[in-house]
Amino acid sequence: MALSPNSSSLELSISLPSFSQLSSHPSSGEYMVRNLDINQTPKTEDRDWIMIDATPHANEEDSNSCGRRRKKLRLTKEQSHLLEESFIQNHTLASKQKLELATFLKLSQRQVEVWFQNRRARSKLKHTEMECEYLKRCFGSLKEQNRLLQKEVEELRALKPVPASVLTMCPRCERATDATDNAVNDGTAPRSQSRVTVSSSSSLC
DNA sequence: TGAATCTTTAGAATTACGTCA
DNA sequence: AATGACGTAATTCTAAAGATT
């Protein structure tokens, strides 16, 4: 499929695959190709496929009566680019915009609609994946923080009991306390301030 | 090395169902 | 309440690319 460069509108042409490349219907032995005049907006919204019977003596009636396979459309780079540009501007299309875009791209409105639906889905999936990665990193970081804090707790627990000489009298409540309890039990101090060494002697409750 | 076959992936299309005017 | 337009989510299916034999 190619786009003619010197055209104001999109002119698409398609090259016929060699006969051996045509996909055969698994049950009927028929071959399918798309209606080659793809410059025409499809008359029916969804299924504008014609069947070509590959069996030597089959007649036309038979070739059109059996089950149809859908043929996958491949958008050209230009079509994809334009759709992408539209998507960046707006993730949903008003009917008028859809019609205009479909006409310009020589696609059916349904195809444009489906493209936007799928594009929104891909966008959401990508966002979810990024969010997932971010949360994974947060989890890793918190896990490491937790490990360090656990280690610190173990170290503090392993310390000998605080001697009376290290204890200070709190001038406000007038009870003996050691520095490690102050900030933590108070609840007013930020977390970083609670990490005070045991030997600190100038603290309040 | 090239051809045949199998596997994987991207994305177009379909289906089912929900919401809203 | 019924209906049609439009959305999302899940799934199907095809073409193409890559891997394997």
Side-chain angles (χ1 to χ4, degrees):
Chain A
M1 200 181 291
L3 184 84
S4 57
N6 299 324
S7 173
S8 57
S9 62
L10 289 170
E11 287 183 16
L12 304 169
S13 63
I14 188 168
S15 57
L16 257 177
S18 65
F19 198 72
S20 62
Q21 287 175 311
L22 295 171
S23 57
S24 70
H25 191 286
S27 59
S28 66
E30 292 166 334
Y31 287 93
M32 296 186 57
V33 293
R34 183 164 195 188
N35 185 338
L36 294 177
D37 188 7
I38 82 167
N39 287 325
Q40 295 295 317
T41 301
K43 287 175 187 132
T44 57
E45 277 291 290
D46 295 324
R47 300 193 177 202
D48 57 326
W49 307 104
I50 58 169
M51 305 285 290
I52 295 176
D53 199 320
T55 54
H57 304 293
N59 62 38
E60 261 188 54
E61 283 179 11
D62 287 340
S63 68
N64 285 322
S65 61
C66 292
R68 296 181 169 198
R69 290 176 64 198
R70 73 183 186 212
K71 188 82 172 66
K72 186 173 178 171
L73 165 78
R74 303 295 298 192
L75 297 171
T76 63
K77 280 184 181 177
E78 289 75 15
Q79 284 173 319
S80 295
H81 180 70
L82 226 106
L83 285 163
E84 198 65 48
E85 298 248 298
S86 303
F87 184 78
I88 289 166
Q89 285 172 19
N90 209 335
H91 287 203
T92 52
L93 280 180
S95 298
K96 195 184 167 190
Q97 289 173 302
K98 195 198 300 176
L99 177 62
E100 284 171 0
L101 198 55
T103 307
F104 186 75
L105 294 172
K106 312 280 185 194
L107 295 170
S108 70
Q109 288 189 67
R110 175 69 183 149
Q111 284 171 315
V112 172
E113 192 176 293
V114 165
W115 187 91
F116 268 76
Q117 282 169 6
N118 288 320
R119 185 63 183 79
R120 281 193 293 271
R122 285 196 295 275
S123 182
K124 189 178 177 182
L125 178 65
K126 195 175 175 183
H127 184 259
T128 305
E129 283 172 352
M130 284 169 69
E131 216 169 56
C132 184
E133 280 306 308
Y134 172 73
L135 289 172
K136 270 185 195 170
R137 284 201 300 274
C138 283
F139 175 70
S141 166
L142 287 170
K143 209 170 151 186
E144 177 60 11
Q145 269 186 44
N146 187 48
R147 190 186 68 78
L148 293 172
L149 287 170
Q150 294 279 6
K151 192 181 163 193
E152 199 174 312
V153 166
E154 289 304 315
E155 284 169 5
L156 290 172
R157 282 192 177 138
L159 287 175
K160 290 177 187 172
V162 181
S165 61
V166 179
L167 295 176
T168 59
M169 189 66 76
C170 174
R172 194 158 47 148
C173 63
E174 294 190 348
R175 75 181 170 85
T177 180
D178 89 71
T180 53
D181 289 337
N182 288 337
V184 174
N185 293 340
D186 191 304
T188 57
R191 181 82 230 126
S192 59
Q193 290 176 17
S194 71
R195 299 176 69 184
V196 182
T197 57
V198 179
S199 60
S200 169
S201 59
S202 58
S203 54
L204 300 174
C205 292

mmCIF file with all atom_site columns, all heavy atoms in Angstrom, chain A residues 141-165:
data_model
loop_
_atom_site.group_PDB
_atom_site.id
_atom_site.type_symbol
_atom_site.label_atom_id
_atom_site.label_alt_id
_atom_site.label_comp_id
_atom_site.label_asym_id
_atom_site.label_entity_id
_atom_site.label_seq_id
_atom_site.pdbx_PDB_ins_code
_atom_site.Cartn_x
_atom_site.Cartn_y
_atom_site.Cartn_z
_atom_site.occupancy
_atom_site.B_iso_or_equiv
_atom_site.pdbx_formal_charge
_atom_site.auth_seq_id
_atom_site.auth_comp_id
_atom_site.auth_asym_id
_atom_site.auth_atom_id
_atom_site.pdbx_PDB_model_num
ATOM 1   N N   . SER A 1 141 ? 11.792 0.895  47.948 1.00 0.00 ? 141 SER A N   1
ATOM 2   C CA  . SER A 1 141 ? 12.381 1.913  48.805 1.00 0.00 ? 141 SER A CA  1
ATOM 3   C C   . SER A 1 141 ? 11.885 1.784  50.246 1.00 0.00 ? 141 SER A C   1
ATOM 4   O O   . SER A 1 141 ? 12.655 1.860  51.198 1.00 0.00 ? 141 SER A O   1
ATOM 5   C CB  . SER A 1 141 ? 12.020 3.286  48.227 1.00 0.00 ? 141 SER A CB  1
ATOM 6   O OG  . SER A 1 141 ? 12.273 4.280  49.174 1.00 0.00 ? 141 SER A OG  1
ATOM 7   N N   . LEU A 1 142 ? 10.582 1.579  50.391 1.00 0.00 ? 142 LEU A N   1
ATOM 8   C CA  . LEU A 1 142 ? 10.005 1.427  51.737 1.00 0.00 ? 142 LEU A CA  1
ATOM 9   C C   . LEU A 1 142 ? 10.520 0.163  52.423 1.00 0.00 ? 142 LEU A C   1
ATOM 10  O O   . LEU A 1 142 ? 10.758 0.147  53.637 1.00 0.00 ? 142 LEU A O   1
ATOM 11  C CB  . LEU A 1 142 ? 8.479  1.390  51.649 1.00 0.00 ? 142 LEU A CB  1
ATOM 12  C CG  . LEU A 1 142 ? 7.811  2.729  51.347 1.00 0.00 ? 142 LEU A CG  1
ATOM 13  C CD1 . LEU A 1 142 ? 6.337  2.529  51.048 1.00 0.00 ? 142 LEU A CD1 1
ATOM 14  C CD2 . LEU A 1 142 ? 7.986  3.698  52.509 1.00 0.00 ? 142 LEU A CD2 1
ATOM 15  N N   . LYS A 1 143 ? 10.718 -0.851 51.635 1.00 0.00 ? 143 LYS A N   1
ATOM 16  C CA  . LYS A 1 143 ? 11.222 -2.114 52.174 1.00 0.00 ? 143 LYS A CA  1
ATOM 17  C C   . LYS A 1 143 ? 12.630 -1.902 52.756 1.00 0.00 ? 143 LYS A C   1
ATOM 18  O O   . LYS A 1 143 ? 12.954 -2.403 53.838 1.00 0.00 ? 143 LYS A O   1
ATOM 19  C CB  . LYS A 1 143 ? 11.271 -3.150 51.045 1.00 0.00 ? 143 LYS A CB  1
ATOM 20  C CG  . LYS A 1 143 ? 11.094 -4.577 51.501 1.00 0.00 ? 143 LYS A CG  1
ATOM 21  C CD  . LYS A 1 143 ? 10.908 -5.450 50.274 1.00 0.00 ? 143 LYS A CD  1
ATOM 22  C CE  . LYS A 1 143 ? 11.415 -6.844 50.525 1.00 0.00 ? 143 LYS A CE  1
ATOM 23  N NZ  . LYS A 1 143 ? 11.375 -7.655 49.320 1.00 0.00 ? 143 LYS A NZ  1
ATOM 24  N N   . GLU A 1 144 ? 13.414 -1.144 52.006 1.00 0.00 ? 144 GLU A N   1
ATOM 25  C CA  . GLU A 1 144 ? 14.782 -0.867 52.455 1.00 0.00 ? 144 GLU A CA  1
ATOM 26  C C   . GLU A 1 144 ? 14.770 -0.004 53.713 1.00 0.00 ? 144 GLU A C   1
ATOM 27  O O   . GLU A 1 144 ? 15.506 -0.265 54.676 1.00 0.00 ? 144 GLU A O   1
ATOM 28  C CB  . GLU A 1 144 ? 15.557 -0.172 51.325 1.00 0.00 ? 144 GLU A CB  1
ATOM 29  C CG  . GLU A 1 144 ? 16.976 0.252  51.675 1.00 0.00 ? 144 GLU A CG  1
ATOM 30  C CD  . GLU A 1 144 ? 17.881 -0.923 52.074 1.00 0.00 ? 144 GLU A CD  1
ATOM 31  O OE1 . GLU A 1 144 ? 17.495 -2.089 51.893 1.00 0.00 ? 144 GLU A OE1 1
ATOM 32  O OE2 . GLU A 1 144 ? 18.983 -0.644 52.608 1.00 0.00 ? 144 GLU A OE2 1
ATOM 33  N N   . GLN A 1 145 ? 13.896 1.005  53.717 1.00 0.00 ? 145 GLN A N   1
ATOM 34  C CA  . GLN A 1 145 ? 13.762 1.859  54.907 1.00 0.00 ? 145 GLN A CA  1
ATOM 35  C C   . GLN A 1 145 ? 13.366 1.033  56.114 1.00 0.00 ? 145 GLN A C   1
ATOM 36  O O   . GLN A 1 145 ? 13.889 1.204  57.209 1.00 0.00 ? 145 GLN A O   1
ATOM 37  C CB  . GLN A 1 145 ? 12.691 2.917  54.664 1.00 0.00 ? 145 GLN A CB  1
ATOM 38  C CG  . GLN A 1 145 ? 13.208 4.211  54.076 1.00 0.00 ? 145 GLN A CG  1
ATOM 39  C CD  . GLN A 1 145 ? 12.099 5.258  54.008 1.00 0.00 ? 145 GLN A CD  1
ATOM 40  O OE1 . GLN A 1 145 ? 11.341 5.413  54.951 1.00 0.00 ? 145 GLN A OE1 1
ATOM 41  N NE2 . GLN A 1 145 ? 12.023 5.928  52.865 1.00 0.00 ? 145 GLN A NE2 1
ATOM 42  N N   . ASN A 1 146 ? 12.439 0.156  55.895 1.00 0.00 ? 146 ASN A N   1
ATOM 43  C CA  . ASN A 1 146 ? 11.945 -0.704 56.972 1.00 0.00 ? 146 ASN A CA  1
ATOM 44  C C   . ASN A 1 146 ? 13.068 -1.590 57.505 1.00 0.00 ? 146 ASN A C   1
ATOM 45  O O   . ASN A 1 146 ? 13.214 -1.770 58.714 1.00 0.00 ? 146 ASN A O   1
ATOM 46  C CB  . ASN A 1 146 ? 10.788 -1.550 56.456 1.00 0.00 ? 146 ASN A CB  1
ATOM 47  C CG  . ASN A 1 146 ? 10.129 -2.343 57.571 1.00 0.00 ? 146 ASN A CG  1
ATOM 48  O OD1 . ASN A 1 146 ? 9.825  -1.796 58.631 1.00 0.00 ? 146 ASN A OD1 1
ATOM 49  N ND2 . ASN A 1 146 ? 9.938  -3.627 57.356 1.00 0.00 ? 146 ASN A ND2 1
ATOM 50  N N   . ARG A 1 147 ? 13.871 -2.098 56.587 1.00 0.00 ? 147 ARG A N   1
ATOM 51  C CA  . ARG A 1 147 ? 14.994 -2.963 56.991 1.00 0.00 ? 147 ARG A CA  1
ATOM 52  C C   . ARG A 1 147 ? 15.970 -2.184 57.878 1.00 0.00 ? 147 ARG A C   1
ATOM 53  O O   . ARG A 1 147 ? 16.406 -2.678 58.925 1.00 0.00 ? 147 ARG A O   1
ATOM 54  C CB  . ARG A 1 147 ? 15.712 -3.490 55.752 1.00 0.00 ? 147 ARG A CB  1
ATOM 55  C CG  . ARG A 1 147 ? 16.726 -4.576 56.011 1.00 0.00 ? 147 ARG A CG  1
ATOM 56  C CD  . ARG A 1 147 ? 17.501 -4.926 54.742 1.00 0.00 ? 147 ARG A CD  1
ATOM 57  N NE  . ARG A 1 147 ? 18.368 -3.858 54.289 1.00 0.00 ? 147 ARG A NE  1
ATOM 58  C CZ  . ARG A 1 147 ? 19.556 -3.570 54.841 1.00 0.00 ? 147 ARG A CZ  1
ATOM 59  N NH1 . ARG A 1 147 ? 20.019 -4.252 55.875 1.00 0.00 ? 147 ARG A NH1 1
ATOM 60  N NH2 . ARG A 1 147 ? 20.282 -2.571 54.361 1.00 0.00 ? 147 ARG A NH2 1
ATOM 61  N N   . LEU A 1 148 ? 16.272 -0.955 57.480 1.00 0.00 ? 148 LEU A N   1
ATOM 62  C CA  . LEU A 1 148 ? 17.214 -0.136 58.251 1.00 0.00 ? 148 LEU A CA  1
ATOM 63  C C   . LEU A 1 148 ? 16.661 0.203  59.633 1.00 0.00 ? 148 LEU A C   1
ATOM 64  O O   . LEU A 1 148 ? 17.384 0.181  60.633 1.00 0.00 ? 148 LEU A O   1
ATOM 65  C CB  . LEU A 1 148 ? 17.543 1.147  57.476 1.00 0.00 ? 148 LEU A CB  1
ATOM 66  C CG  . LEU A 1 148 ? 18.337 0.947  56.187 1.00 0.00 ? 148 LEU A CG  1
ATOM 67  C CD1 . LEU A 1 148 ? 18.437 2.249  55.408 1.00 0.00 ? 148 LEU A CD1 1
ATOM 68  C CD2 . LEU A 1 148 ? 19.734 0.406  56.495 1.00 0.00 ? 148 LEU A CD2 1
ATOM 69  N N   . LEU A 1 149 ? 15.364 0.489  59.666 1.00 0.00 ? 149 LEU A N   1
ATOM 70  C CA  . LEU A 1 149 ? 14.746 0.821  60.951 1.00 0.00 ? 149 LEU A CA  1
ATOM 71  C C   . LEU A 1 149 ? 14.721 -0.388 61.885 1.00 0.00 ? 149 LEU A C   1
ATOM 72  O O   . LEU A 1 149 ? 14.963 -0.273 63.088 1.00 0.00 ? 149 LEU A O   1
ATOM 73  C CB  . LEU A 1 149 ? 13.326 1.350  60.722 1.00 0.00 ? 149 LEU A CB  1
ATOM 74  C CG  . LEU A 1 149 ? 13.249 2.767  60.143 1.00 0.00 ? 149 LEU A CG  1
ATOM 75  C CD1 . LEU A 1 149 ? 11.835 3.109  59.730 1.00 0.00 ? 149 LEU A CD1 1
ATOM 76  C CD2 . LEU A 1 149 ? 13.766 3.782  61.156 1.00 0.00 ? 149 LEU A CD2 1
ATOM 77  N N   . GLN A 1 150 ? 14.434 -1.542 61.321 1.00 0.00 ? 150 GLN A N   1
ATOM 78  C CA  . GLN A 1 150 ? 14.430 -2.781 62.112 1.00 0.00 ? 150 GLN A CA  1
ATOM 79  C C   . GLN A 1 150 ? 15.814 -3.014 62.702 1.00 0.00 ? 150 GLN A C   1
ATOM 80  O O   . GLN A 1 150 ? 15.963 -3.388 63.867 1.00 0.00 ? 150 GLN A O   1
ATOM 81  C CB  . GLN A 1 150 ? 14.045 -3.983 61.236 1.00 0.00 ? 150 GLN A CB  1
ATOM 82  C CG  . GLN A 1 150 ? 12.634 -3.957 60.719 1.00 0.00 ? 150 GLN A CG  1
ATOM 83  C CD  . GLN A 1 150 ? 11.626 -4.440 61.767 1.00 0.00 ? 150 GLN A CD  1
ATOM 84  O OE1 . GLN A 1 150 ? 11.995 -4.681 62.911 1.00 0.00 ? 150 GLN A OE1 1
ATOM 85  N NE2 . GLN A 1 150 ? 10.369 -4.556 61.362 1.00 0.00 ? 150 GLN A NE2 1
ATOM 86  N N   . LYS A 1 151 ? 16.800 -2.751 61.850 1.00 0.00 ? 151 LYS A N   1
ATOM 87  C CA  . LYS A 1 151 ? 18.184 -2.933 62.281 1.00 0.00 ? 151 LYS A CA  1
ATOM 88  C C   . LYS A 1 151 ? 18.487 -1.982 63.440 1.00 0.00 ? 151 LYS A C   1
ATOM 89  O O   . LYS A 1 151 ? 19.093 -2.366 64.446 1.00 0.00 ? 151 LYS A O   1
ATOM 90  C CB  . LYS A 1 151 ? 19.115 -2.659 61.101 1.00 0.00 ? 151 LYS A CB  1
ATOM 91  C CG  . LYS A 1 151 ? 20.550 -3.074 61.310 1.00 0.00 ? 151 LYS A CG  1
ATOM 92  C CD  . LYS A 1 151 ? 21.363 -2.717 60.072 1.00 0.00 ? 151 LYS A CD  1
ATOM 93  C CE  . LYS A 1 151 ? 22.840 -2.734 60.397 1.00 0.00 ? 151 LYS A CE  1
ATOM 94  N NZ  . LYS A 1 151 ? 23.624 -2.109 59.335 1.00 0.00 ? 151 LYS A NZ  1
ATOM 95  N N   . GLU A 1 152 ? 18.021 -0.762 63.297 1.00 0.00 ? 152 GLU A N   1
ATOM 96  C CA  . GLU A 1 152 ? 18.256 0.236  64.334 1.00 0.00 ? 152 GLU A CA  1
ATOM 97  C C   . GLU A 1 152 ? 17.584 -0.166 65.638 1.00 0.00 ? 152 GLU A C   1
ATOM 98  O O   . GLU A 1 152 ? 18.142 -0.020 66.729 1.00 0.00 ? 152 GLU A O   1
ATOM 99  C CB  . GLU A 1 152 ? 17.709 1.577  63.840 1.00 0.00 ? 152 GLU A CB  1
ATOM 100 C CG  . GLU A 1 152 ? 18.271 2.764  64.587 1.00 0.00 ? 152 GLU A CG  1
ATOM 101 C CD  . GLU A 1 152 ? 17.803 4.065  63.950 1.00 0.00 ? 152 GLU A CD  1
ATOM 102 O OE1 . GLU A 1 152 ? 17.904 4.174  62.716 1.00 0.00 ? 152 GLU A OE1 1
ATOM 103 O OE2 . GLU A 1 152 ? 17.333 4.942  64.692 1.00 0.00 ? 152 GLU A OE2 1
ATOM 104 N N   . VAL A 1 153 ? 16.371 -0.663 65.513 1.00 0.00 ? 153 VAL A N   1
ATOM 105 C CA  . VAL A 1 153 ? 15.633 -1.121 66.696 1.00 0.00 ? 153 VAL A CA  1
ATOM 106 C C   . VAL A 1 153 ? 16.400 -2.225 67.400 1.00 0.00 ? 153 VAL A C   1
ATOM 107 O O   . VAL A 1 153 ? 16.544 -2.229 68.628 1.00 0.00 ? 153 VAL A O   1
ATOM 108 C CB  . VAL A 1 153 ? 14.220 -1.610 66.304 1.00 0.00 ? 153 VAL A CB  1
ATOM 109 C CG1 . VAL A 1 153 ? 13.577 -2.397 67.426 1.00 0.00 ? 153 VAL A CG1 1
ATOM 110 C CG2 . VAL A 1 153 ? 13.349 -0.424 65.937 1.00 0.00 ? 153 VAL A CG2 1
ATOM 111 N N   . GLU A 1 154 ? 16.915 -3.163 66.611 1.00 0.00 ? 154 GLU A N   1
ATOM 112 C CA  . GLU A 1 154 ? 17.683 -4.265 67.191 1.00 0.00 ? 154 GLU A CA  1
ATOM 113 C C   . GLU A 1 154 ? 18.913 -3.747 67.922 1.00 0.00 ? 154 GLU A C   1
ATOM 114 O O   . GLU A 1 154 ? 19.241 -4.205 69.014 1.00 0.00 ? 154 GLU A O   1
ATOM 115 C CB  . GLU A 1 154 ? 18.104 -5.253 66.102 1.00 0.00 ? 154 GLU A CB  1
ATOM 116 C CG  . GLU A 1 154 ? 16.964 -6.076 65.520 1.00 0.00 ? 154 GLU A CG  1
ATOM 117 C CD  . GLU A 1 154 ? 16.197 -6.835 66.604 1.00 0.00 ? 154 GLU A CD  1
ATOM 118 O OE1 . GLU A 1 154 ? 16.847 -7.446 67.486 1.00 0.00 ? 154 GLU A OE1 1
ATOM 119 O OE2 . GLU A 1 154 ? 14.950 -6.783 66.588 1.00 0.00 ? 154 GLU A OE2 1
ATOM 120 N N   . GLU A 1 155 ? 19.558 -2.787 67.311 1.00 0.00 ? 155 GLU A N   1
ATOM 121 C CA  . GLU A 1 155 ? 20.760 -2.211 67.928 1.00 0.00 ? 155 GLU A CA  1
ATOM 122 C C   . GLU A 1 155 ? 20.429 -1.520 69.240 1.00 0.00 ? 155 GLU A C   1
ATOM 123 O O   . GLU A 1 155 ? 21.131 -1.655 70.236 1.00 0.00 ? 155 GLU A O   1
ATOM 124 C CB  . GLU A 1 155 ? 21.416 -1.210 66.965 1.00 0.00 ? 155 GLU A CB  1
ATOM 125 C CG  . GLU A 1 155 ? 22.184 -1.869 65.835 1.00 0.00 ? 155 GLU A CG  1
ATOM 126 C CD  . GLU A 1 155 ? 22.602 -0.870 64.755 1.00 0.00 ? 155 GLU A CD  1
ATOM 127 O OE1 . GLU A 1 155 ? 22.364 0.336  64.940 1.00 0.00 ? 155 GLU A OE1 1
ATOM 128 O OE2 . GLU A 1 155 ? 23.136 -1.321 63.737 1.00 0.00 ? 155 GLU A OE2 1
ATOM 129 N N   . LEU A 1 156 ? 19.331 -0.802 69.227 1.00 0.00 ? 156 LEU A N   1
ATOM 130 C CA  . LEU A 1 156 ? 18.921 -0.088 70.451 1.00 0.00 ? 156 LEU A CA  1
ATOM 131 C C   . LEU A 1 156 ? 18.543 -1.069 71.554 1.00 0.00 ? 156 LEU A C   1
ATOM 132 O O   . LEU A 1 156 ? 18.853 -0.868 72.725 1.00 0.00 ? 156 LEU A O   1
ATOM 133 C CB  . LEU A 1 156 ? 17.744 0.835  70.137 1.00 0.00 ? 156 LEU A CB  1
ATOM 134 C CG  . LEU A 1 156 ? 18.083 2.059  69.272 1.00 0.00 ? 156 LEU A CG  1
ATOM 135 C CD1 . LEU A 1 156 ? 16.826 2.795  68.855 1.00 0.00 ? 156 LEU A CD1 1
ATOM 136 C CD2 . LEU A 1 156 ? 19.013 2.992  70.042 1.00 0.00 ? 156 LEU A CD2 1
ATOM 137 N N   . ARG A 1 157 ? 17.884 -2.122 71.152 1.00 0.00 ? 157 ARG A N   1
ATOM 138 C CA  . ARG A 1 157 ? 17.480 -3.142 72.144 1.00 0.00 ? 157 ARG A CA  1
ATOM 139 C C   . ARG A 1 157 ? 18.690 -3.846 72.749 1.00 0.00 ? 157 ARG A C   1
ATOM 140 O O   . ARG A 1 157 ? 18.641 -4.330 73.874 1.00 0.00 ? 157 ARG A O   1
ATOM 141 C CB  . ARG A 1 157 ? 16.559 -4.155 71.496 1.00 0.00 ? 157 ARG A CB  1
ATOM 142 C CG  . ARG A 1 157 ? 15.153 -3.619 71.337 1.00 0.00 ? 157 ARG A CG  1
ATOM 143 C CD  . ARG A 1 157 ? 14.185 -4.716 70.974 1.00 0.00 ? 157 ARG A CD  1
ATOM 144 N NE  . ARG A 1 157 ? 12.821 -4.173 70.909 1.00 0.00 ? 157 ARG A NE  1
ATOM 145 C CZ  . ARG A 1 157 ? 11.942 -4.483 69.989 1.00 0.00 ? 157 ARG A CZ  1
ATOM 146 N NH1 . ARG A 1 157 ? 12.277 -5.348 69.051 1.00 0.00 ? 157 ARG A NH1 1
ATOM 147 N NH2 . ARG A 1 157 ? 10.749 -3.959 70.003 1.00 0.00 ? 157 ARG A NH2 1
ATOM 148 N N   . ALA A 1 158 ? 19.736 -3.928 71.942 1.00 0.00 ? 158 ALA A N   1
ATOM 149 C CA  . ALA A 1 158 ? 20.933 -4.642 72.389 1.00 0.00 ? 158 ALA A CA  1
ATOM 150 C C   . ALA A 1 158 ? 21.769 -3.806 73.364 1.00 0.00 ? 158 ALA A C   1
ATOM 151 O O   . ALA A 1 158 ? 22.684 -4.328 74.007 1.00 0.00 ? 158 ALA A O   1
ATOM 152 C CB  . ALA A 1 158 ? 21.784 -5.018 71.188 1.00 0.00 ? 158 ALA A CB  1
ATOM 153 N N   . LEU A 1 159 ? 21.459 -2.534 73.447 1.00 0.00 ? 159 LEU A N   1
ATOM 154 C CA  . LEU A 1 159 ? 22.218 -1.655 74.345 1.00 0.00 ? 159 LEU A CA  1
ATOM 155 C C   . LEU A 1 159 ? 21.964 -2.015 75.809 1.00 0.00 ? 159 LEU A C   1
ATOM 156 O O   . LEU A 1 159 ? 20.897 -2.522 76.154 1.00 0.00 ? 159 LEU A O   1
ATOM 157 C CB  . LEU A 1 159 ? 21.825 -0.197 74.114 1.00 0.00 ? 159 LEU A CB  1
ATOM 158 C CG  . LEU A 1 159 ? 22.329 0.445  72.818 1.00 0.00 ? 159 LEU A CG  1
ATOM 159 C CD1 . LEU A 1 159 ? 21.750 1.840  72.683 1.00 0.00 ? 159 LEU A CD1 1
ATOM 160 C CD2 . LEU A 1 159 ? 23.858 0.506  72.830 1.00 0.00 ? 159 LEU A CD2 1
ATOM 161 N N   . LYS A 1 160 ? 22.941 -1.674 76.632 1.00 0.00 ? 160 LYS A N   1
ATOM 162 C CA  . LYS A 1 160 ? 22.789 -1.887 78.071 1.00 0.00 ? 160 LYS A CA  1
ATOM 163 C C   . LYS A 1 160 ? 21.740 -0.918 78.592 1.00 0.00 ? 160 LYS A C   1
ATOM 164 O O   . LYS A 1 160 ? 21.501 0.133  77.980 1.00 0.00 ? 160 LYS A O   1
ATOM 165 C CB  . LYS A 1 160 ? 24.120 -1.629 78.778 1.00 0.00 ? 160 LYS A CB  1
ATOM 166 C CG  . LYS A 1 160 ? 25.157 -2.677 78.487 1.00 0.00 ? 160 LYS A CG  1
ATOM 167 C CD  . LYS A 1 160 ? 26.443 -2.303 79.167 1.00 0.00 ? 160 LYS A CD  1
ATOM 168 C CE  . LYS A 1 160 ? 27.553 -3.246 78.767 1.00 0.00 ? 160 LYS A CE  1
ATOM 169 N NZ  . LYS A 1 160 ? 28.872 -2.824 79.250 1.00 0.00 ? 160 LYS A NZ  1
ATOM 170 N N   . PRO A 1 161 ? 21.108 -1.196 79.746 1.00 0.00 ? 161 PRO A N   1
ATOM 171 C CA  . PRO A 1 161 ? 20.147 -0.256 80.324 1.00 0.00 ? 161 PRO A CA  1
ATOM 172 C C   . PRO A 1 161 ? 20.805 1.094  80.562 1.00 0.00 ? 161 PRO A C   1
ATOM 173 O O   . PRO A 1 161 ? 21.978 1.165  80.927 1.00 0.00 ? 161 PRO A O   1
ATOM 174 C CB  . PRO A 1 161 ? 19.763 -0.905 81.651 1.00 0.00 ? 161 PRO A CB  1
ATOM 175 C CG  . PRO A 1 161 ? 20.089 -2.336 81.480 1.00 0.00 ? 161 PRO A CG  1
ATOM 176 C CD  . PRO A 1 161 ? 21.230 -2.416 80.519 1.00 0.00 ? 161 PRO A CD  1
ATOM 177 N N   . VAL A 1 162 ? 20.073 2.170  80.389 1.00 0.00 ? 162 VAL A N   1
ATOM 178 C CA  . VAL A 1 162 ? 20.622 3.511  80.526 1.00 0.00 ? 162 VAL A CA  1
ATOM 179 C C   . VAL A 1 162 ? 20.931 3.789  81.994 1.00 0.00 ? 162 VAL A C   1
ATOM 180 O O   . VAL A 1 162 ? 20.050 3.660  82.853 1.00 0.00 ? 162 VAL A O   1
ATOM 181 C CB  . VAL A 1 162 ? 19.603 4.552  80.015 1.00 0.00 ? 162 VAL A CB  1
ATOM 182 C CG1 . VAL A 1 162 ? 20.176 5.957  80.132 1.00 0.00 ? 162 VAL A CG1 1
ATOM 183 C CG2 . VAL A 1 162 ? 19.208 4.233  78.595 1.00 0.00 ? 162 VAL A CG2 1
ATOM 184 N N   . PRO A 1 163 ? 22.165 4.154  82.304 1.00 0.00 ? 163 PRO A N   1
ATOM 185 C CA  . PRO A 1 163 ? 22.513 4.453  83.703 1.00 0.00 ? 163 PRO A CA  1
ATOM 186 C C   . PRO A 1 163 ? 21.837 5.729  84.184 1.00 0.00 ? 163 PRO A C   1
ATOM 187 O O   . PRO A 1 163 ? 21.519 6.615  83.392 1.00 0.00 ? 163 PRO A O   1
ATOM 188 C CB  . PRO A 1 163 ? 24.040 4.631  83.651 1.00 0.00 ? 163 PRO A CB  1
ATOM 189 C CG  . PRO A 1 163 ? 24.368 4.879  82.241 1.00 0.00 ? 163 PRO A CG  1
ATOM 190 C CD  . PRO A 1 163 ? 23.322 4.258  81.414 1.00 0.00 ? 163 PRO A CD  1
ATOM 191 N N   . ALA A 1 164 ? 21.625 5.801  85.486 1.00 0.00 ? 164 ALA A N   1
ATOM 192 C CA  . ALA A 1 164 ? 20.901 6.926  86.076 1.00 0.00 ? 164 ALA A CA  1
ATOM 193 C C   . ALA A 1 164 ? 21.582 8.257  85.809 1.00 0.00 ? 164 ALA A C   1
ATOM 194 O O   . ALA A 1 164 ? 20.918 9.286  85.645 1.00 0.00 ? 164 ALA A O   1
ATOM 195 C CB  . ALA A 1 164 ? 20.772 6.717  87.580 1.00 0.00 ? 164 ALA A CB  1
ATOM 196 N N   . SER A 1 165 ? 22.895 8.220  85.680 1.00 0.00 ? 165 SER A N   1
ATOM 197 C CA  . SER A 1 165 ? 23.630 9.468  85.456 1.00 0.00 ? 165 SER A CA  1
ATOM 198 C C   . SER A 1 165 ? 23.321 10.101 84.103 1.00 0.00 ? 165 SER A C   1
ATOM 199 O O   . SER A 1 165 ? 23.469 11.306 83.910 1.00 0.00 ? 165 SER A O   1
ATOM 200 C CB  . SER A 1 165 ? 25.128 9.207  85.566 1.00 0.00 ? 165 SER A CB  1
ATOM 201 O OG  . SER A 1 165 ? 25.503 8.271  84.588 1.00 0.00 ? 165 SER A OG  1
#
